[in-house]
Amino acid sequence: YDAFFRPVTLHFMATVICIVAVNGMRKANRQADMEGEKVRLYEELGRLTEEQLAQKEQLASEIQMMQQIISSFGNGDYNARIPQKAGMLLWPLGAQLNNLLIRSTRFYQQAEPAMQTSNSIHALIESIRQARLTGKQFPITSLPRTGTPADTLVQELWRTFAAGNADSSSIPQASSI
């Protein structure tokens, strides 16, 4: 009897010990796998955080550059443009701002002669008013030359007026204009 139960008991005990040991090893392997996964996830999180920080710094740099260029344009540098570099995060915005800067420059270039003409007409009107106030006559050559179409207008008006008067060397008294 003892000879039969002793080997069975030993086998049973060995089986229980093996089962407990295998389950412990499986649990340890699962825990090691989870720890490895945690380490991998922490590394991935660190990498993503570094990428986001780099993107944030790049965005701040690009925004500052755009602000400087827009300020430069506002201060009269009509050739200021936002560089279109490979890897710029805000390149679509930069391209649109460049289009706006180009159109603004073109508008300014087209409006500048009109502004000069308007200013010269105002200066001529002021010269005529001053002559009227002083009651003086002055020759057409004493009118300031502006280099704008207003000069041609004054000359044509003078020729028209002079054709009707014998004295073409001076403008009529300002009080009669």
Tab-separated table of all heavy atoms in Angstrom, residues 23-68:
chain	number	residue	atom	x	y	z
A	23	ASN	N	2.453	28.742	-13.438
A	23	ASN	CA	1.547	29.892	-13.300
A	23	ASN	C	2.310	31.132	-12.817
A	23	ASN	O	2.062	32.247	-13.281
A	23	ASN	CB	0.401	29.559	-12.342
A	23	ASN	CG	-0.671	28.717	-12.998
A	23	ASN	OD1	-0.778	28.693	-14.221
A	23	ASN	ND2	-1.461	28.016	-12.196
A	24	GLY	N	3.224	30.954	-11.902
A	24	GLY	CA	4.050	32.068	-11.427
A	24	GLY	C	4.905	32.638	-12.549
A	24	GLY	O	5.068	33.864	-12.687
A	25	MET	N	5.480	31.741	-13.345
A	25	MET	CA	6.303	32.192	-14.478
A	25	MET	C	5.455	32.921	-15.521
A	25	MET	O	5.882	33.936	-16.070
A	25	MET	CB	7.028	31.007	-15.107
A	25	MET	CG	8.171	30.493	-14.300
A	25	MET	SD	8.994	29.179	-15.201
A	25	MET	CE	9.500	28.146	-13.856
A	26	ARG	N	4.274	32.394	-15.799
A	26	ARG	CA	3.376	33.077	-16.757
A	26	ARG	C	3.010	34.476	-16.246
A	26	ARG	O	3.008	35.443	-16.996
A	26	ARG	CB	2.105	32.260	-16.961
A	26	ARG	CG	2.277	31.099	-17.861
A	26	ARG	CD	0.945	30.408	-18.082
A	26	ARG	NE	1.099	29.209	-18.862
A	26	ARG	CZ	0.197	28.265	-18.958
A	26	ARG	NH1	-0.941	28.393	-18.290
A	26	ARG	NH2	0.415	27.204	-19.693
A	27	LYS	N	2.681	34.516	-14.953
A	27	LYS	CA	2.332	35.813	-14.360
A	27	LYS	C	3.529	36.764	-14.438
A	27	LYS	O	3.382	37.948	-14.773
A	27	LYS	CB	1.890	35.609	-12.915
A	27	LYS	CG	1.360	36.848	-12.268
A	27	LYS	CD	0.852	36.549	-10.869
A	27	LYS	CE	0.315	37.790	-10.220
A	27	LYS	NZ	-0.163	37.522	-8.853
A	28	ALA	N	4.708	36.272	-14.155
A	28	ALA	CA	5.923	37.101	-14.219
A	28	ALA	C	6.184	37.549	-15.658
A	28	ALA	O	6.570	38.706	-15.907
A	28	ALA	CB	7.114	36.322	-13.669
A	29	ASN	N	5.978	36.655	-16.619
A	29	ASN	CA	6.158	37.020	-18.030
A	29	ASN	C	5.153	38.089	-18.455
A	29	ASN	O	5.501	39.049	-19.156
A	29	ASN	CB	6.022	35.787	-18.927
A	29	ASN	CG	7.288	34.973	-19.000
A	29	ASN	OD1	8.354	35.464	-18.661
A	29	ASN	ND2	7.161	33.712	-19.401
A	30	ARG	N	3.893	37.905	-18.051
A	30	ARG	CA	2.883	38.923	-18.377
A	30	ARG	C	3.232	40.263	-17.749
A	30	ARG	O	3.105	41.305	-18.370
A	30	ARG	CB	1.494	38.471	-17.907
A	30	ARG	CG	0.758	37.685	-18.963
A	30	ARG	CD	-0.682	37.413	-18.547
A	30	ARG	NE	-0.711	36.021	-18.105
A	30	ARG	CZ	-1.278	35.563	-17.005
A	30	ARG	NH1	-1.916	36.378	-16.209
A	30	ARG	NH2	-1.233	34.299	-16.679
A	31	GLN	N	3.684	40.221	-16.510
A	31	GLN	CA	4.060	41.458	-15.825
A	31	GLN	C	5.273	42.088	-16.501
A	31	GLN	O	5.326	43.313	-16.693
A	31	GLN	CB	4.354	41.161	-14.353
A	31	GLN	CG	4.384	42.391	-13.501
A	31	GLN	CD	4.424	42.045	-12.024
A	31	GLN	OE1	4.657	40.894	-11.641
A	31	GLN	NE2	4.190	43.036	-11.192
A	32	ALA	N	6.230	41.286	-16.910
A	32	ALA	CA	7.401	41.808	-17.619
A	32	ALA	C	6.982	42.394	-18.968
A	32	ALA	O	7.489	43.451	-19.381
A	32	ALA	CB	8.437	40.707	-17.811
A	33	ASP	N	6.053	41.721	-19.660
A	33	ASP	CA	5.552	42.256	-20.930
A	33	ASP	C	4.852	43.601	-20.718
A	33	ASP	O	5.032	44.538	-21.488
A	33	ASP	CB	4.587	41.269	-21.590
A	33	ASP	CG	5.291	40.063	-22.198
A	33	ASP	OD1	6.525	40.135	-22.355
A	33	ASP	OD2	4.588	39.083	-22.519
A	34	MET	N	4.058	43.675	-19.640
A	34	MET	CA	3.366	44.940	-19.359
A	34	MET	C	4.370	46.029	-18.993
A	34	MET	O	4.227	47.178	-19.416
A	34	MET	CB	2.342	44.745	-18.226
A	34	MET	CG	1.134	43.970	-18.681
A	34	MET	SD	-0.280	43.883	-17.541
A	34	MET	CE	0.362	44.073	-15.945
A	35	GLU	N	5.398	45.690	-18.251
A	35	GLU	CA	6.428	46.666	-17.909
A	35	GLU	C	7.163	47.120	-19.178
A	35	GLU	O	7.443	48.298	-19.346
A	35	GLU	CB	7.430	46.088	-16.893
A	35	GLU	CG	6.862	45.885	-15.511
A	35	GLU	CD	6.424	47.178	-14.850
A	35	GLU	OE1	7.119	48.196	-15.016
A	35	GLU	OE2	5.382	47.166	-14.165
A	36	GLY	N	7.455	46.196	-20.049
A	36	GLY	CA	8.098	46.541	-21.330
A	36	GLY	C	7.212	47.451	-22.164
A	36	GLY	O	7.677	48.407	-22.791
A	37	GLU	N	5.918	47.140	-22.163
A	37	GLU	CA	4.959	47.971	-22.910
A	37	GLU	C	4.868	49.360	-22.295
A	37	GLU	O	4.796	50.362	-22.995
A	37	GLU	CB	3.591	47.294	-22.922
A	37	GLU	CG	2.549	47.998	-23.730
A	37	GLU	CD	2.823	48.013	-25.225
A	37	GLU	OE1	3.665	47.240	-25.713
A	37	GLU	OE2	2.195	48.836	-25.922
A	38	LYS	N	4.893	49.428	-20.953
A	38	LYS	CA	4.882	50.728	-20.284
A	38	LYS	C	6.106	51.544	-20.674
A	38	LYS	O	6.004	52.730	-20.981
A	38	LYS	CB	4.850	50.558	-18.757
A	38	LYS	CG	3.529	50.216	-18.173
A	38	LYS	CD	3.658	50.127	-16.649
A	38	LYS	CE	2.408	49.628	-15.994
A	38	LYS	NZ	2.563	49.497	-14.527
A	39	VAL	N	7.269	50.911	-20.662
A	39	VAL	CA	8.503	51.609	-21.035
A	39	VAL	C	8.401	52.093	-22.477
A	39	VAL	O	8.742	53.248	-22.779
A	39	VAL	CB	9.732	50.684	-20.845
A	39	VAL	CG1	10.970	51.276	-21.487
A	39	VAL	CG2	9.967	50.410	-19.371
A	40	ARG	N	7.905	51.247	-23.371
A	40	ARG	CA	7.761	51.641	-24.775
A	40	ARG	C	6.789	52.815	-24.906
A	40	ARG	O	7.047	53.776	-25.631
A	40	ARG	CB	7.269	50.463	-25.615
A	40	ARG	CG	7.280	50.750	-27.117
A	40	ARG	CD	6.559	49.673	-27.908
A	40	ARG	NE	5.126	49.673	-27.683
A	40	ARG	CZ	4.261	50.566	-28.197
A	40	ARG	NH1	4.698	51.546	-28.953
A	40	ARG	NH2	2.970	50.471	-27.952
A	41	LEU	N	5.676	52.770	-24.176
A	41	LEU	CA	4.701	53.859	-24.230
A	41	LEU	C	5.268	55.160	-23.661
A	41	LEU	O	5.032	56.243	-24.204
A	41	LEU	CB	3.416	53.452	-23.499
A	41	LEU	CG	2.561	52.393	-24.192
A	41	LEU	CD1	1.411	51.970	-23.290
A	41	LEU	CD2	2.046	52.896	-25.524
A	42	TYR	N	6.032	55.065	-22.574
A	42	TYR	CA	6.667	56.263	-22.014
A	42	TYR	C	7.673	56.859	-23.002
A	42	TYR	O	7.765	58.080	-23.160
A	42	TYR	CB	7.352	55.958	-20.682
A	42	TYR	CG	6.413	55.933	-19.508
A	42	TYR	CD1	6.340	54.825	-18.668
A	42	TYR	CD2	5.599	57.025	-19.221
A	42	TYR	CE1	5.478	54.803	-17.594
A	42	TYR	CE2	4.728	57.006	-18.143
A	42	TYR	CZ	4.679	55.893	-17.329
A	42	TYR	OH	3.818	55.868	-16.265
A	43	GLU	N	8.438	55.991	-23.659
A	43	GLU	CA	9.394	56.480	-24.669
A	43	GLU	C	8.658	57.158	-25.824
A	43	GLU	O	9.073	58.214	-26.302
A	43	GLU	CB	10.254	55.319	-25.176
A	43	GLU	CG	11.271	54.828	-24.174
A	43	GLU	CD	11.982	53.564	-24.630
A	43	GLU	OE1	11.635	53.006	-25.703
A	43	GLU	OE2	12.896	53.120	-23.906
A	44	GLU	N	7.560	56.553	-26.261
A	44	GLU	CA	6.758	57.134	-27.350
A	44	GLU	C	6.173	58.481	-26.912
A	44	GLU	O	6.164	59.450	-27.674
A	44	GLU	CB	5.638	56.163	-27.751
A	44	GLU	CG	4.752	56.648	-28.867
A	44	GLU	CD	5.431	56.631	-30.222
A	44	GLU	OE1	6.498	56.021	-30.372
A	44	GLU	OE2	4.892	57.276	-31.146
A	45	LEU	N	5.680	58.544	-25.688
A	45	LEU	CA	5.139	59.792	-25.149
A	45	LEU	C	6.226	60.865	-25.096
A	45	LEU	O	5.986	62.024	-25.454
A	45	LEU	CB	4.539	59.558	-23.767
A	45	LEU	CG	3.911	60.769	-23.080
A	45	LEU	CD1	2.728	61.287	-23.891
A	45	LEU	CD2	3.485	60.399	-21.666
A	46	GLY	N	7.415	60.502	-24.664
A	46	GLY	CA	8.534	61.452	-24.628
A	46	GLY	C	8.885	61.945	-26.019
A	46	GLY	O	9.133	63.141	-26.225
A	47	ARG	N	8.922	61.044	-26.999
A	47	ARG	CA	9.236	61.425	-28.376
A	47	ARG	C	8.174	62.372	-28.930
A	47	ARG	O	8.488	63.400	-29.535
A	47	ARG	CB	9.343	60.181	-29.263
A	47	ARG	CG	9.812	60.470	-30.683
A	47	ARG	CD	9.788	59.210	-31.537
A	47	ARG	NE	8.463	58.650	-31.698
A	47	ARG	CZ	7.511	59.143	-32.494
A	47	ARG	NH1	7.733	60.226	-33.196
A	47	ARG	NH2	6.333	58.563	-32.591
A	48	LEU	N	6.897	62.043	-28.684
A	48	LEU	CA	5.815	62.905	-29.169
A	48	LEU	C	5.848	64.275	-28.487
A	48	LEU	O	5.601	65.300	-29.121
A	48	LEU	CB	4.454	62.232	-28.934
A	48	LEU	CG	4.143	61.022	-29.814
A	48	LEU	CD1	2.840	60.370	-29.373
A	48	LEU	CD2	4.092	61.418	-31.267
A	49	THR	N	6.173	64.307	-27.212
A	49	THR	CA	6.275	65.570	-26.484
A	49	THR	C	7.396	66.421	-27.067
A	49	THR	O	7.229	67.631	-27.254
A	49	THR	CB	6.510	65.302	-24.983
A	49	THR	OG1	5.445	64.496	-24.489
A	49	THR	CG2	6.572	66.592	-24.201
A	50	GLU	N	8.529	65.802	-27.374
A	50	GLU	CA	9.643	66.533	-27.988
A	50	GLU	C	9.253	67.070	-29.360
A	50	GLU	O	9.581	68.201	-29.712
A	50	GLU	CB	10.874	65.632	-28.101
A	50	GLU	CG	11.557	65.351	-26.781
A	50	GLU	CD	12.699	64.365	-26.903
A	50	GLU	OE1	13.060	63.992	-28.043
A	50	GLU	OE2	13.238	63.956	-25.863
A	51	GLU	N	8.545	66.264	-30.149
A	51	GLU	CA	8.091	66.715	-31.474
A	51	GLU	C	7.137	67.898	-31.342
A	51	GLU	O	7.235	68.870	-32.096
A	51	GLU	CB	7.401	65.576	-32.229
A	51	GLU	CG	8.330	64.541	-32.788
A	51	GLU	CD	7.584	63.414	-33.488
A	51	GLU	OE1	6.352	63.528	-33.700
A	51	GLU	OE2	8.241	62.412	-33.832
A	52	GLN	N	6.206	67.806	-30.404
A	52	GLN	CA	5.259	68.904	-30.204
A	52	GLN	C	5.976	70.167	-29.745
A	52	GLN	O	5.633	71.270	-30.181
A	52	GLN	CB	4.176	68.508	-29.211
A	52	GLN	CG	3.168	67.546	-29.767
A	52	GLN	CD	2.102	67.165	-28.742
A	52	GLN	OE1	2.304	67.297	-27.548
A	52	GLN	NE2	0.969	66.687	-29.242
A	53	LEU	N	6.953	70.027	-28.883
A	53	LEU	CA	7.716	71.179	-28.421
A	53	LEU	C	8.487	71.809	-29.583
A	53	LEU	O	8.508	73.032	-29.724
A	53	LEU	CB	8.680	70.771	-27.299
A	53	LEU	CG	9.509	71.879	-26.678
A	53	LEU	CD1	8.602	72.928	-26.044
A	53	LEU	CD2	10.454	71.294	-25.634
A	54	ALA	N	9.084	70.972	-30.429
A	54	ALA	CA	9.805	71.482	-31.594
A	54	ALA	C	8.851	72.202	-32.549
A	54	ALA	O	9.179	73.277	-33.081
A	54	ALA	CB	10.518	70.344	-32.324
A	55	GLN	N	7.652	71.635	-32.766
A	55	GLN	CA	6.662	72.292	-33.623
A	55	GLN	C	6.202	73.616	-33.023
A	55	GLN	O	6.035	74.600	-33.741
A	55	GLN	CB	5.449	71.386	-33.841
A	55	GLN	CG	5.671	70.295	-34.847
A	55	GLN	CD	4.404	69.486	-35.086
A	55	GLN	OE1	3.461	69.520	-34.306
A	55	GLN	NE2	4.394	68.738	-36.186
A	56	LYS	N	6.015	73.650	-31.717
A	56	LYS	CA	5.607	74.880	-31.051
A	56	LYS	C	6.673	75.959	-31.224
A	56	LYS	O	6.356	77.110	-31.524
A	56	LYS	CB	5.359	74.605	-29.567
A	56	LYS	CG	4.881	75.797	-28.789
A	56	LYS	CD	4.658	75.447	-27.332
A	56	LYS	CE	4.246	76.675	-26.551
A	56	LYS	NZ	4.076	76.379	-25.123
A	57	GLU	N	7.937	75.586	-31.051
A	57	GLU	CA	9.029	76.542	-31.228
A	57	GLU	C	9.099	77.019	-32.679
A	57	GLU	O	9.322	78.198	-32.942
A	57	GLU	CB	10.351	75.918	-30.794
A	57	GLU	CG	10.471	75.727	-29.301
A	57	GLU	CD	11.707	74.943	-28.889
A	57	GLU	OE1	12.483	74.522	-29.782
A	57	GLU	OE2	11.894	74.747	-27.677
A	58	GLN	N	8.905	76.103	-33.621
A	58	GLN	CA	8.929	76.474	-35.036
A	58	GLN	C	7.781	77.423	-35.363
A	58	GLN	O	7.962	78.412	-36.078
A	58	GLN	CB	8.869	75.232	-35.921
A	58	GLN	CG	9.010	75.548	-37.406
A	58	GLN	CD	9.000	74.286	-38.263
A	58	GLN	OE1	8.953	73.174	-37.770
A	58	GLN	NE2	9.041	74.483	-39.563
A	59	LEU	N	6.598	77.140	-34.840
A	59	LEU	CA	5.446	78.024	-35.059
A	59	LEU	C	5.719	79.416	-34.487
A	59	LEU	O	5.448	80.430	-35.144
A	59	LEU	CB	4.186	77.445	-34.424
A	59	LEU	CG	3.464	76.358	-35.192
A	59	LEU	CD1	2.360	75.753	-34.341
A	59	LEU	CD2	2.912	76.880	-36.496
A	60	ALA	N	6.263	79.469	-33.287
A	60	ALA	CA	6.561	80.761	-32.673
A	60	ALA	C	7.576	81.527	-33.517
A	60	ALA	O	7.424	82.733	-33.738
A	60	ALA	CB	7.080	80.560	-31.252
A	61	SER	N	8.574	80.829	-34.013
A	61	SER	CA	9.593	81.466	-34.859
A	61	SER	C	8.990	81.984	-36.159
A	61	SER	O	9.274	83.111	-36.595
A	61	SER	CB	10.705	80.451	-35.160
A	61	SER	OG	11.593	80.958	-36.113
A	62	GLU	N	8.147	81.176	-36.796
A	62	GLU	CA	7.514	81.585	-38.054
A	62	GLU	C	6.577	82.771	-37.839
A	62	GLU	O	6.536	83.701	-38.655
A	62	GLU	CB	6.768	80.412	-38.681
A	62	GLU	CG	7.681	79.339	-39.230
A	62	GLU	CD	6.931	78.156	-39.818
A	62	GLU	OE1	5.725	78.295	-40.130
A	62	GLU	OE2	7.552	77.086	-39.963
A	63	ILE	N	5.826	82.754	-36.754
A	63	ILE	CA	4.910	83.863	-36.466
A	63	ILE	C	5.693	85.140	-36.222
A	63	ILE	O	5.328	86.210	-36.728
A	63	ILE	CB	3.996	83.516	-35.270
A	63	ILE	CG1	2.985	82.446	-35.682
A	63	ILE	CG2	3.290	84.748	-34.736
A	63	ILE	CD1	2.198	81.855	-34.534
A	64	GLN	N	6.789	85.044	-35.478
A	64	GLN	CA	7.615	86.230	-35.211
A	64	GLN	C	8.195	86.780	-36.518
A	64	GLN	O	8.204	87.983	-36.738
A	64	GLN	CB	8.725	85.882	-34.235
A	64	GLN	CG	9.583	87.079	-33.865
A	64	GLN	CD	10.692	86.717	-32.893
A	64	GLN	OE1	10.988	85.544	-32.684
A	64	GLN	NE2	11.292	87.724	-32.312
A	65	MET	N	8.664	85.890	-37.403
A	65	MET	CA	9.207	86.320	-38.686
A	65	MET	C	8.127	87.035	-39.504
A	65	MET	O	8.376	88.095	-40.091
A	65	MET	CB	9.746	85.122	-39.471
A	65	MET	CG	10.237	85.475	-40.869
A	65	MET	SD	10.542	84.050	-41.917
A	65	MET	CE	8.999	83.191	-41.868
A	66	MET	N	6.908	86.486	-39.526
A	66	MET	CA	5.816	87.104	-40.280
A	66	MET	C	5.463	88.467	-39.693
A	66	MET	O	5.209	89.413	-40.445
A	66	MET	CB	4.587	86.191	-40.293
A	66	MET	CG	4.748	84.987	-41.164
A	66	MET	SD	3.242	83.990	-41.151
A	66	MET	CE	3.762	82.600	-42.123
A	67	GLN	N	5.460	88.579	-38.375
A	67	GLN	CA	5.182	89.866	-37.740
A	67	GLN	C	6.234	90.901	-38.132
A	67	GLN	O	5.897	92.050	-38.419
A	67	GLN	CB	5.151	89.721	-36.212
A	67	GLN	CG	3.921	89.050	-35.685
A	67	GLN	CD	3.989	88.835	-34.181
A	67	GLN	OE1	5.064	88.724	-33.598
A	67	GLN	NE2	2.833	88.764	-33.551
A	68	GLN	N	7.502	90.504	-38.149
A	68	GLN	CA	8.577	91.427	-38.518
A	68	GLN	C	8.428	91.879	-39.963
A	68	GLN	O	8.614	93.054	-40.278
A	68	GLN	CB	9.942	90.773	-38.304
A	68	GLN	CG	10.305	90.591	-36.852
A	68	GLN	CD	11.570	89.758	-36.673
A	68	GLN	OE1	12.058	89.127	-37.592
A	68	GLN	NE2	12.097	89.761	-35.449
